[in-house]
Amino acid sequence: MTIAIVGAGLGGLALARVLHVHGIDSVVYERETSRDARGQGGMLDIHSGQRALREAGLIDRFHAIARGEGQDMRLLEPDGTLLLQEDTPDDAPLDRPEVDRADLRDLLLDSLPEGVVRWGHAYLSAPYDLLVGADGAQSRVRALLTDARPTHIGQNIVEVGIPDIDRTHPDLAAMVGRGNYWVLGDGLSLAAQRNGDGRVRIGLSFYRTDEDWFATCGIPFHDPAAARARLIDLLPGWDSRFTSLIAACDDQVVPRAITSLPVGLTWPSTPGVTLLGDAAHLMPPVGQGANMALLDGALLGLALAAHPDDMPTAVEEYEREMFARSGAAARMSADLHELLTSPDAARKMLAFFQPG
């Protein structure tokens, strides 16, 4: 069988790796010119996706780059009240370790034979037996299967960060800790996360906002210092420790409008084409997307290996399982997003983490 994968993200690479493990060739088309063409984002919380890495024969190498201390969490209210602090023992199992997205992508890339990934190539058309759209939120392959498109979910994020925080701001480093640091307010949240390179990545989320909010919010993205000052103005009444985090950030100020696909999206199984990852089930960013993409890639690879002479059956088997699994994850993600938009988000999140 001949297989073309569009997109060298985590899901597409997981598929290529599992196929390679089972002796099946594939080609990955990636529009970016190299693996280093752009930044790959921050840390990922890998839990269910570890199954994919086991199927890919990479779990030991994953554990070598994963950060167990990234499982630490602190949850606070805007007035500084600490609601929850979880510190991970050094000997704790790696149930939900954090890993730098770029490191995980490099692990997958390095596990593939030379030439599998065609950098700087957009898939146009070729006589492949199977075309797999692993091309993300704005997937072009998706249009072959469904008219569904991502829509704005009322959340806009401004990403900022502090480089080398242990050296430049040791007091703030101690406050944030080793893992995830969440401050949840009414329609606002601050999420700070320690990255593997020593940078603390901070996302300020503004909920109940529309897709034109960046044009009307008054944040001058062309002027980083003024943008930081405006972001602080948008946090009235917040404890000075939190605004100090924003004041200490460097000049990278990145706006991100958040979109998702309809929960439970499906399509009729179609010979010769399928989707995985965000192309198939883009959902709110609450810790499920990367795990679902890894599982999609691995499980599609296993289905193809199990039915080497019956690709339609393999694809239909994969899609049936993927629709059920990703649909449940999308519903959970939507519910969690709804919780984050509520007026008493911090207390509700505390109850989520400590049920009963």
Side-chain angles (χ1 to χ4, degrees):
M1 64 180 86
T2 55
I3 301 170
I5 304 165
V6 182
L10 299 180
L13 295 174
L15 170 57
R17 168 62 184 179
V18 170
L19 290 173
H20 173 65
V21 167
H22 288 272
I24 300 171
D25 292 334
S26 65
V27 60
V28 181
Y29 290 96
E30 174 52 58
R31 296 171 69 92
E32 293 175 3
T33 55
S34 72
R35 70 167 72 190
D36 302 316
R38 66 176 177 86
Q40 293 299 309
M43 305 298 287
L44 298 171
D45 166 20
I46 302 299
H47 39 90
S48 60
Q50 290 189 50
R51 177 188 172 189
L53 296 167
R54 289 190 184 91
E55 298 291 354
L58 299 173
I59 193 65
D60 290 339
R61 278 181 269 179
F62 167 73
H63 286 157
I65 62 173
R67 296 176 55 244
E69 68 275 14
Q71 298 172 104
D72 289 5
M73 187 179 65
R74 299 177 186 182
L75 175 65
L76 303 97
E77 292 181 302
D79 65 2
T81 301
L82 178 65
L83 297 179
L84 178 66
Q85 179 168 335
E86 293 183 344
D87 296 320
T88 308
D90 292 339
D91 60 350
L94 295 175
D95 293 333
R96 302 179 67 98
E98 298 281 339
V99 66
D100 190 295
R101 181 187 289 269
D103 291 345
L104 181 55
R105 188 183 191 223
D106 283 344
L107 172 63
L108 289 163
L109 283 167
D110 292 341
S111 73
L112 295 172
E114 186 74 22
V116 169
V117 179
R118 310 280 177 87
W119 298 104
H121 286 75
Y123 176 84
L124 297 176
S125 62
Y128 288 98
D129 295 322
L130 179 63
L131 173 65
V132 182
D135 48 344
Q138 303 304 320
S139 170
R140 296 186 178 188
V141 180
R142 187 191 298 123
L144 300 176
L145 294 170
T146 173
D147 292 333
R149 297 289 183 272
T151 58
H152 193 264
I153 64 171
Q155 179 183 2
N156 291 287
I157 298 178
V158 179
E159 291 185 353
V160 290
I162 305 173
D164 197 7
I165 192 171
D166 288 310
R167 182 183 64 83
T168 59
H169 296 87
D171 54 334
L172 296 178
M175 180 181 80
V176 170
R178 307 180 303 174
N180 290 283
Y181 187 84
W182 279 17
V183 186
L184 302 182
D186 181 5
L188 293 169
S189 73
L190 180 153
Q193 185 183 57
R194 184 73 68 99
N195 284 17
D197 60 0
R199 181 180 180 86
V200 162
R201 188 183 183 92
I202 300 167
L204 283 169
S205 288
F206 298 87
Y207 302 102
R208 306 195 294 271
T209 52
D210 60 35
E211 56 188 327
D212 298 323
W213 185 79
F214 287 125
T216 61
C217 65
I219 301 173
F221 290 100
H222 64 281
D223 183 342
R228 291 193 295 272
R230 175 59 180 158
L231 287 171
I232 291 172
D233 289 342
L234 291 172
L235 303 175
W238 282 46
D239 189 278
S240 61
R241 290 173 294 173
F242 308 142
T243 55
S244 293
L245 272 177
I246 306 304
C249 290
D250 63 11
D251 287 348
Q252 293 185 34
V253 184
V254 180
R256 289 183 57 217
I258 305 302
T259 61
S260 72
L261 285 166
V263 173
L265 175 66
T266 64
W267 54 83
S269 193
T270 302
V273 60
T274 192
L275 304 172
L276 61 77
D278 285 350
H281 43 65
L282 178 68
M283 57 190 75
V286 293
Q288 292 292 328
N291 289 278
M292 289 297 105
L294 288 167
L295 281 168
D296 289 350
L299 295 178
L300 175 55
L302 291 174
L304 291 166
H307 302 282
D309 300 318
D310 191 354
M311 189 175 294
T313 294
V315 170
E316 188 171 2
E317 179 182 287
Y318 153 73
E319 289 177 340
R320 187 184 312 115
E321 187 279 338
M322 182 267 289
F323 289 150
R325 170 175 45 81
S326 65
R331 282 187 289 275
M332 187 275 286
S333 297
D335 290 345
L336 193 54
H337 177 265
E338 185 73 18
L339 184 155
L340 291 169
T341 67
S342 64
D344 197 16
R347 299 284 172 170
K348 290 180 179 177
M349 185 61 74
L350 178 63
F352 176 84
F353 285 125
Q354 295 184 327

